[in-house]
Amino acid sequence: MKNINYDLLKLLHTKLDTVWRLEKHYIEDADKAQCHSIGAMKQILEEDKKQIAMLNEEIKMRMDAEEWD
């Protein structure tokens, strides 16, 4: 696998893991603690979701161009 393809997959995996953790644990924990960080966490969640969509498009574009190996 080309380095760039691995890099894209690794970035996607990292973002997906972060979104999962934010949705399942981190935001709830901040809410329970009545922490001021909840706003920042929600913003990070939305930004990561946008970046996931961007990475998905980049991977699809590379696959369609037969640049995936």
Side-chain angles (χ1 to χ4, degrees):
M1 176 178 284
K2 291 179 182 176
N3 282 342
I4 184 59
N5 295 335
Y6 175 83
D7 296 344
L8 291 168
L9 282 177
K10 181 65 176 169
L11 281 169
L12 179 59
H13 177 268
T14 300
K15 294 289 181 184
L16 288 168
D17 182 62
T18 300
V19 164
W20 183 86
R21 290 174 188 283
L22 283 162
E23 291 179 335
K24 300 297 180 197
H25 302 290
Y26 298 169
I27 291 173
E28 182 180 326
D29 291 347
D31 190 37
K32 285 180 185 175
Q34 299 178 343
C35 177
H36 72 278
S37 299
I38 194 164
M41 289 186 187
K42 286 182 177 180
Q43 184 176 348
I44 291 167
L45 175 63
E46 293 308 313
E47 290 172 2
D48 279 355
K49 285 181 176 182
K50 289 176 187 175
Q51 291 173 356
I52 286 169
M54 191 180 354
L55 286 164
N56 279 330
E57 285 299 315
E58 186 65 27
I59 289 168
K60 183 182 181 317
M61 184 174 56
R62 291 191 59 76
M63 291 175 77
D64 289 346
E66 298 181 7
E67 292 290 330
W68 196 265
D69 57 350

Coordinates of all heavy atoms in Angstrom, one line a residue:
M1 N 0.8 -1.2 0.0 CA 0.0 0.0 0.0 C 0.9 1.2 0.0 O 1.9 1.3 0.8 CB -0.9 0.0 1.2 CG -1.8 1.2 1.4 SD -2.9 1.2 2.8 CE -4.2 0.1 2.2
K2 N 0.5 2.2 -0.8 CA 1.3 3.4 -0.9 C 1.1 4.2 0.4 O 0.1 4.1 1.1 CB 0.7 4.3 -2.0 CG 1.0 3.8 -3.4 CD 0.4 4.8 -4.4 CE 0.7 4.2 -5.8 NZ 0.0 5.0 -6.8
N3 N 2.2 4.9 0.8 CA 2.2 5.6 2.1 C 1.0 6.6 2.2 O 0.3 6.7 3.2 CB 3.4 6.4 2.2 CG 4.6 5.5 2.7 OD1 4.4 4.4 3.2 ND2 5.8 6.0 2.5
I4 N 0.7 7.3 1.1 CA -0.4 8.3 1.1 C -1.8 7.6 1.4 O -2.6 8.1 2.2 CB -0.5 9.1 -0.1 CG1 -1.6 10.2 0.0 CG2 -0.7 8.3 -1.4 CD1 -1.4 11.2 1.2
N5 N -2.0 6.4 0.9 CA -3.2 5.7 1.1 C -3.3 5.2 2.5 O -4.4 5.3 3.2 CB -3.3 4.5 0.1 CG -3.5 5.0 -1.3 OD1 -3.9 6.1 -1.6 ND2 -3.1 4.1 -2.2
Y6 N -2.2 4.7 3.0 CA -2.2 4.3 4.5 C -2.4 5.5 5.3 O -3.2 5.4 6.3 CB -0.8 3.7 4.8 CG -0.7 3.4 6.3 CD1 -1.2 2.2 6.8 CD2 -0.1 4.3 7.1 CE1 -1.1 1.9 8.1 CE2 0.0 4.0 8.5 CZ -0.5 2.8 9.0 OH -0.4 2.5 10.3
D7 N -1.8 6.6 5.0 CA -1.9 7.9 5.8 C -3.4 8.3 5.9 O -3.9 8.7 6.9 CB -1.1 9.0 5.2 CG 0.4 8.7 5.3 OD1 0.8 7.8 6.0 OD2 1.1 9.4 4.6
L8 N -4.1 8.3 4.7 CA -5.5 8.6 4.7 C -6.3 7.7 5.5 O -7.2 8.1 6.3 CB -6.0 8.7 3.2 CG -5.4 9.8 2.3 CD1 -5.8 9.5 0.9 CD2 -6.0 11.1 2.8
L9 N -6.1 6.4 5.4 CA -6.8 5.4 6.2 C -6.6 5.6 7.7 O -7.5 5.6 8.5 CB -6.5 4.0 5.8 CG -7.1 3.5 4.6 CD1 -6.6 2.1 4.3 CD2 -8.7 3.5 4.7
K10 N -5.3 5.9 8.1 CA -5.0 6.1 9.5 C -5.7 7.3 10.0 O -6.2 7.3 11.1 CB -3.4 6.2 9.6 CG -3.0 6.4 11.0 CD -3.3 5.2 11.9 CE -2.7 5.4 13.3 NZ -3.2 4.4 14.2
L11 N -5.6 8.4 9.2 CA -6.3 9.6 9.6 C -7.8 9.4 9.8 O -8.4 9.8 10.8 CB -6.1 10.7 8.6 CG -4.8 11.5 8.7 CD1 -4.6 12.3 7.4 CD2 -4.7 12.3 9.9
L12 N -8.4 8.7 8.9 CA -9.9 8.4 9.0 C -10.1 7.5 10.2 O -11.1 7.8 11.0 CB -10.3 7.6 7.7 CG -11.8 7.2 7.7 CD1 -12.7 8.4 7.8 CD2 -12.1 6.4 6.4
H13 N -9.3 6.5 10.5 CA -9.5 5.7 11.7 C -9.4 6.5 12.9 O -10.3 6.4 13.8 CB -8.5 4.6 11.7 CG -8.6 3.7 12.9 ND1 -7.8 4.0 14.0 CD2 -9.3 2.7 13.2 CE1 -8.1 3.1 14.9 NE2 -9.0 2.3 14.5
T14 N -8.5 7.4 13.0 CA -8.3 8.2 14.2 C -9.5 9.2 14.4 O -10.0 9.3 15.5 CB -7.0 9.1 14.1 OG1 -5.9 8.2 13.9 CG2 -6.7 10.0 15.3
K15 N -9.9 9.8 13.3 CA -11.1 10.7 13.4 C -12.3 9.9 13.9 O -13.1 10.3 14.7 CB -11.4 11.4 12.1 CG -10.3 12.4 11.7 CD -10.3 13.6 12.6 CE -9.2 14.6 12.2 NZ -9.2 15.7 13.1
L16 N -12.6 8.7 13.3 CA -13.7 7.9 13.6 C -13.7 7.5 15.1 O -14.7 7.5 15.8 CB -13.8 6.7 12.7 CG -14.2 6.9 11.3 CD1 -14.0 5.7 10.4 CD2 -15.7 7.4 11.2
D17 N -12.5 7.1 15.6 CA -12.3 6.8 17.0 C -12.6 7.9 17.9 O -13.3 7.8 18.9 CB -10.9 6.2 17.2 CG -10.7 5.8 18.7 OD1 -11.4 4.8 19.1 OD2 -9.9 6.4 19.4
T18 N -12.2 9.1 17.5 CA -12.4 10.3 18.3 C -13.9 10.6 18.4 O -14.4 10.9 19.5 CB -11.6 11.5 17.8 OG1 -10.2 11.2 17.8 CG2 -11.9 12.8 18.6
V19 N -14.6 10.6 17.2 CA -16.0 10.9 17.2 C -16.7 9.9 18.1 O -17.6 10.2 18.8 CB -16.5 10.9 15.7 CG1 -18.0 10.8 15.7 CG2 -16.0 12.1 15.0
W20 N -16.4 8.6 18.0 CA -17.1 7.6 18.8 C -16.9 7.9 20.3 O -17.8 7.8 21.1 CB -16.5 6.2 18.5 CG -17.2 5.1 19.2 CD1 -18.3 4.5 18.9 CD2 -16.8 4.5 20.5 NE1 -18.7 3.5 19.8 CE2 -17.7 3.6 20.8 CE3 -15.7 4.8 21.3 CZ2 -17.6 2.8 22.0 CZ3 -15.6 4.0 22.5 CH2 -16.5 3.1 22.8
R21 N -15.7 8.2 20.7 CA -15.4 8.5 22.1 C -16.1 9.8 22.6 O -16.7 9.8 23.7 CB -13.9 8.7 22.3 CG -13.2 7.4 22.2 CD -11.6 7.5 22.3 NE -11.0 6.3 22.0 CZ -10.9 5.2 22.9 NH1 -11.4 5.4 24.1 NH2 -10.3 4.1 22.5
L22 N -16.1 10.8 21.7 CA -16.9 12.0 22.1 C -18.4 11.7 22.3 O -19.0 12.2 23.2 CB -16.7 13.1 21.0 CG -15.4 13.8 21.0 CD1 -15.1 14.5 19.7 CD2 -15.3 14.8 22.2
E23 N -18.9 11.0 21.3 CA -20.4 10.7 21.4 C -20.7 9.7 22.5 O -21.8 9.9 23.1 CB -20.9 10.1 20.1 CG -20.8 11.1 18.9 CD -21.3 10.5 17.6 OE1 -21.2 9.3 17.4 OE2 -21.7 11.3 16.7
K24 N -19.9 8.8 22.8 CA -20.2 7.7 23.8 C -19.8 8.1 25.2 O -20.4 7.6 26.1 CB -19.6 6.4 23.4 CG -20.0 5.9 22.0 CD -21.5 5.6 22.0 CE -21.9 5.0 20.7 NZ -23.3 5.1 20.4
H25 N -18.8 8.9 25.4 CA -18.2 9.1 26.7 C -18.0 10.6 27.0 O -18.5 11.1 28.0 CB -17.0 8.3 26.9 CG -17.1 6.8 26.7 ND1 -17.8 6.0 27.6 CD2 -16.7 6.0 25.7 CE1 -17.9 4.8 27.1 NE2 -17.2 4.7 26.0
Y26 N -17.1 11.2 26.3 CA -16.5 12.5 26.7 C -17.6 13.6 26.9 O -17.5 14.3 27.9 CB -15.5 12.9 25.7 CG -14.3 12.0 25.5 CD1 -13.4 12.2 24.4 CD2 -14.1 10.9 26.3 CE1 -12.3 11.4 24.3 CE2 -13.0 10.1 26.2 CZ -12.1 10.3 25.1 OH -11.0 9.5 24.9
I27 N -18.5 13.7 26.0 CA -19.5 14.8 26.1 C -20.4 14.5 27.3 O -20.7 15.4 28.1 CB -20.3 15.0 24.8 CG1 -19.4 15.6 23.7 CG2 -21.5 15.9 25.0 CD1 -20.0 15.7 22.3
E28 N -20.8 13.3 27.4 CA -21.6 12.9 28.6 C -20.9 13.1 29.9 O -21.5 13.6 30.9 CB -22.0 11.4 28.5 CG -22.9 10.9 29.6 CD -23.3 9.5 29.4 OE1 -23.5 9.0 28.3 OE2 -23.4 8.8 30.5
D29 N -19.6 12.8 30.0 CA -18.8 13.0 31.2 C -18.7 14.5 31.5 O -18.8 14.9 32.7 CB -17.4 12.4 31.0 CG -17.4 10.9 31.0 OD1 -18.4 10.3 31.3 OD2 -16.4 10.3 30.6
A30 N -18.5 15.3 30.5 CA -18.4 16.8 30.7 C -19.8 17.3 31.2 O -19.8 18.2 32.0 CB -17.9 17.5 29.4
D31 N -20.8 16.8 30.6 CA -22.2 17.2 31.0 C -22.5 16.8 32.4 O -23.0 17.7 33.2 CB -23.2 16.6 30.1 CG -24.6 17.2 30.3 OD1 -24.7 18.4 30.5 OD2 -25.6 16.4 30.2
K32 N -22.1 15.6 32.8 CA -22.3 15.2 34.2 C -21.5 16.0 35.2 O -22.0 16.3 36.3 CB -21.9 13.7 34.4 CG -22.9 12.7 33.8 CD -22.5 11.3 34.0 CE -23.4 10.3 33.4 NZ -22.9 8.9 33.5
A33 N -20.3 16.4 34.8 CA -19.5 17.2 35.7 C -19.8 18.7 35.6 O -19.2 19.5 36.3 CB -18.0 17.0 35.3
Q34 N -20.8 19.0 34.8 CA -21.2 20.4 34.5 C -20.0 21.3 34.2 O -19.7 22.4 34.8 CB -22.0 21.0 35.7 CG -23.2 20.2 36.0 CD -24.0 20.7 37.2 OE1 -23.5 21.4 38.0 NE2 -25.3 20.3 37.2
C35 N -19.2 20.7 33.3 CA -17.9 21.3 32.9 C -18.0 22.3 31.8 O -18.8 22.1 30.9 CB -17.0 20.2 32.5 SG -15.3 20.6 32.0
H36 N -17.2 23.4 31.8 CA -17.3 24.4 30.7 C -16.7 23.8 29.4 O -16.9 24.4 28.4 CB -16.5 25.6 31.2 CG -15.0 25.4 31.2 ND1 -14.4 24.8 32.2 CD2 -14.1 25.7 30.3 CE1 -13.1 24.7 32.0 NE2 -12.9 25.2 30.8
S37 N -16.1 22.7 29.5 CA -15.5 22.1 28.3 C -16.5 21.5 27.3 O -16.1 21.1 26.2 CB -14.4 21.0 28.6 OG -13.4 21.6 29.4
I38 N -17.7 21.3 27.7 CA -18.7 20.7 26.8 C -18.9 21.4 25.5 O -19.0 20.7 24.5 CB -20.1 20.5 27.5 CG1 -20.9 19.5 26.8 CG2 -20.8 21.8 27.8 CD1 -22.1 18.9 27.6
G39 N -18.8 22.7 25.5 CA -18.9 23.4 24.2 C -17.8 23.1 23.3 O -18.0 22.9 22.1
A40 N -16.6 23.1 23.8 CA -15.4 22.8 23.0 C -15.5 21.4 22.5 O -15.2 21.1 21.3 CB -14.1 23.0 23.9
M41 N -15.9 20.4 23.3 CA -16.1 19.0 22.8 C -17.1 18.9 21.7 O -16.9 18.2 20.8 CB -16.4 18.1 24.0 CG -15.2 17.9 25.0 SD -15.7 16.7 26.2 CE -14.3 16.9 27.3
K42 N -18.2 19.6 21.8 CA -19.2 19.6 20.8 C -18.7 20.2 19.5 O -19.0 19.7 18.4 CB -20.5 20.3 21.3 CG -21.3 19.5 22.3 CD -22.6 20.1 22.7 CE -23.3 19.3 23.6 NZ -24.6 19.9 24.0
Q43 N -17.9 21.2 19.6 CA -17.3 21.9 18.4 C -16.3 20.9 17.8 O -16.3 20.8 16.5 CB -16.7 23.2 18.8 CG -16.1 23.9 17.6 CD -15.5 25.3 18.0 OE1 -15.7 25.8 19.1 NE2 -14.8 25.9 17.0
I44 N -15.5 20.2 18.6 CA -14.5 19.3 18.0 C -15.3 18.1 17.3 O -14.9 17.7 16.2 CB -13.6 18.7 19.2 CG1 -12.7 19.8 19.7 CG2 -12.8 17.5 18.7 CD1 -12.0 19.5 21.0
L45 N -16.4 17.7 17.9 CA -17.2 16.6 17.3 C -17.7 17.0 15.9 O -17.5 16.3 15.0 CB -18.4 16.3 18.2 CG -19.4 15.3 17.7 CD1 -18.7 13.9 17.5 CD2 -20.6 15.2 18.7
E46 N -18.2 18.2 15.8 CA -18.7 18.7 14.5 C -17.6 18.8 13.5 O -17.7 18.5 12.3 CB -19.5 20.0 14.7 CG -20.8 19.8 15.5 CD -21.7 18.7 14.9 OE1 -21.9 18.6 13.7 OE2 -22.1 17.8 15.8
E47 N -16.5 19.4 13.9 CA -15.3 19.6 13.0 C -14.8 18.2 12.6 O -14.5 18.0 11.4 CB -14.2 20.4 13.7 CG -14.6 21.8 13.9 CD -13.6 22.6 14.7 OE1 -12.6 22.1 15.2 OE2 -13.9 23.8 15.0
D48 N -14.7 17.2 13.5 CA -14.2 15.9 13.1 C -15.2 15.2 12.1 O -14.7 14.6 11.2 CB -14.0 15.0 14.4 CG -12.7 15.3 15.1 OD1 -11.9 16.1 14.5 OD2 -12.4 14.7 16.1
K49 N -16.5 15.4 12.3 CA -17.4 14.8 11.4 C -17.2 15.4 10.0 O -17.3 14.7 9.0 CB -18.9 15.1 11.9 CG -19.2 14.2 13.0 CD -20.7 14.4 13.4 CE -21.1 13.5 14.5 NZ -22.5 13.7 14.9
K50 N -17.0 16.7 9.9 CA -16.7 17.3 8.6 C -15.4 16.8 8.0 O -15.4 16.5 6.8 CB -16.6 18.8 8.7 CG -17.9 19.5 9.0 CD -17.8 21.0 9.2 CE -19.1 21.6 9.7 NZ -18.9 23.0 10.0
Q51 N -14.4 16.6 8.8 CA -13.1 16.1 8.3 C -13.3 14.6 7.9 O -12.6 14.2 6.9 CB -12.1 16.2 9.4 CG -11.7 17.7 9.5 CD -10.8 18.0 10.7 OE1 -10.4 17.1 11.4 NE2 -10.4 19.2 10.8
I52 N -14.1 13.8 8.6 CA -14.4 12.4 8.2 C -15.0 12.4 6.8 O -14.6 11.6 5.9 CB -15.3 11.7 9.2 CG1 -14.5 11.4 10.5 CG2 -15.9 10.5 8.6 CD1 -15.4 11.0 11.6
A53 N -16.0 13.3 6.5 CA -16.6 13.4 5.2 C -15.5 13.7 4.1 O -15.5 13.2 3.0 CB -17.7 14.4 5.2
M54 N -14.6 14.7 4.5 CA -13.6 15.1 3.5 C -12.6 13.9 3.3 O -12.3 13.7 2.1 CB -12.8 16.2 4.2 CG -11.9 16.9 3.2 SD -10.9 18.3 3.9 CE -11.6 18.6 5.5
L55 N -12.2 13.2 4.3 CA -11.4 12.0 4.1 C -12.0 10.9 3.3 O -11.4 10.3 2.4 CB -10.9 11.5 5.4 CG -9.9 12.3 6.2 CD1 -9.8 11.9 7.6 CD2 -8.5 12.2 5.5
N56 N -13.3 10.7 3.5 CA -14.1 9.7 2.7 C -14.1 10.1 1.3 O -13.9 9.2 0.4 CB -15.5 9.6 3.2 CG -15.6 8.7 4.4 OD1 -14.9 7.8 4.6 ND2 -16.6 9.0 5.3
E57 N -14.3 11.4 1.0 CA -14.3 11.8 -0.4 C -12.9 11.7 -1.1 O -12.8 11.2 -2.2 CB -14.7 13.3 -0.5 CG -16.2 13.4 -0.3 CD -17.0 12.7 -1.4 OE1 -16.7 12.8 -2.6 OE2 -18.0 12.0 -1.0
E58 N -11.9 12.0 -0.3 CA -10.5 11.9 -0.8 C -10.2 10.4 -1.1 O -9.6 10.1 -2.2 CB -9.5 12.4 0.2 CG -8.1 12.5 -0.3 CD -7.9 13.4 -1.5 OE1 -8.6 14.4 -1.6 OE2 -6.9 13.2 -2.3
I59 N -10.5 9.5 -0.2 CA -10.3 8.1 -0.5 C -11.1 7.6 -1.7 O -10.5 6.9 -2.5 CB -10.6 7.3 0.8 CG1 -9.6 7.6 1.9 CG2 -10.7 5.8 0.5 CD1 -10.0 7.1 3.3
K60 N -12.3 8.0 -1.8 CA -13.1 7.6 -2.9 C -12.5 8.1 -4.2 O -12.4 7.4 -5.2 CB -14.6 8.1 -2.8 CG -15.5 7.6 -3.9 CD -16.9 8.2 -3.7 CE -17.8 7.8 -4.8 NZ -17.3 7.8 -6.2
M61 N -12.1 9.3 -4.2 CA -11.5 9.9 -5.4 C -10.2 9.1 -5.8 O -10.0 8.9 -7.0 CB -11.1 11.4 -5.2 CG -10.6 12.1 -6.4 SD -10.3 13.9 -6.1 CE -9.3 13.9 -4.7
R62 N -9.4 8.8 -4.9 CA -8.2 8.0 -5.2 C -8.6 6.6 -5.7 O -7.9 6.1 -6.6 CB -7.3 7.9 -4.0 CG -6.7 9.3 -3.6 CD -5.6 9.2 -2.6 NE -4.5 8.3 -3.0 CZ -3.5 8.7 -3.8 NH1 -3.5 9.8 -4.4 NH2 -2.5 7.8 -4.1
M63 N -9.6 6.0 -5.1 CA -10.0 4.7 -5.6 C -10.6 4.8 -7.0 O -10.3 3.9 -7.9 CB -11.1 4.1 -4.7 CG -10.5 3.7 -3.3 SD -11.7 3.2 -2.1 CE -11.9 1.5 -2.7
D64 N -11.4 5.8 -7.3 CA -12.0 6.0 -8.6 C -10.9 6.2 -9.7 O -11.1 5.8 -10.8 CB -13.0 7.1 -8.6 CG -14.3 6.8 -7.9 OD1 -14.5 5.6 -7.6 OD2 -15.0 7.7 -7.6
A65 N -9.8 6.9 -9.3 CA -8.7 7.2 -10.2 C -7.7 6.0 -10.3 O -6.7 6.2 -10.9 CB -8.0 8.5 -9.8
E66 N -8.1 5.0 -9.6 CA -7.2 3.8 -9.6 C -5.8 4.1 -9.0 O -4.8 3.6 -9.5 CB -7.1 3.1 -11.0 CG -8.5 2.6 -11.4 CD -8.4 1.9 -12.8 OE1 -7.4 1.7 -13.3 OE2 -9.5 1.6 -13.3
E67 N -5.8 4.9 -8.0 CA -4.6 5.3 -7.3 C -4.5 4.6 -5.9 O -3.8 5.0 -5.1 CB -4.5 6.8 -7.1 CG -4.4 7.6 -8.3 CD -3.0 7.4 -9.0 OE1 -2.0 7.2 -8.2 OE2 -2.9 7.5 -10.2
W68 N -5.3 3.6 -5.8 CA -5.4 2.9 -4.5 C -4.7 1.5 -4.6 O -5.2 0.6 -5.3 CB -6.9 2.7 -4.1 CG -7.0 2.4 -2.7 CD1 -7.1 1.1 -2.1 CD2 -7.0 3.3 -1.6 NE1 -7.2 1.2 -0.8 CE2 -7.1 2.5 -0.4 CE3 -6.8 4.6 -1.5 CZ2 -7.1 3.1 0.9 CZ3 -6.9 5.2 -0.2 CH2 -7.0 4.4 0.9
D69 N -3.6 1.4 -4.0 CA -2.9 0.1 -3.9 C -2.0 0.0 -2.8 O -1.7 1.0 -2.1 CB -2.2 -0.3 -5.2 CG -1.2 0.8 -5.6 OD1 -1.1 1.9 -5.1 OD2 -0.4 0.5 -6.6

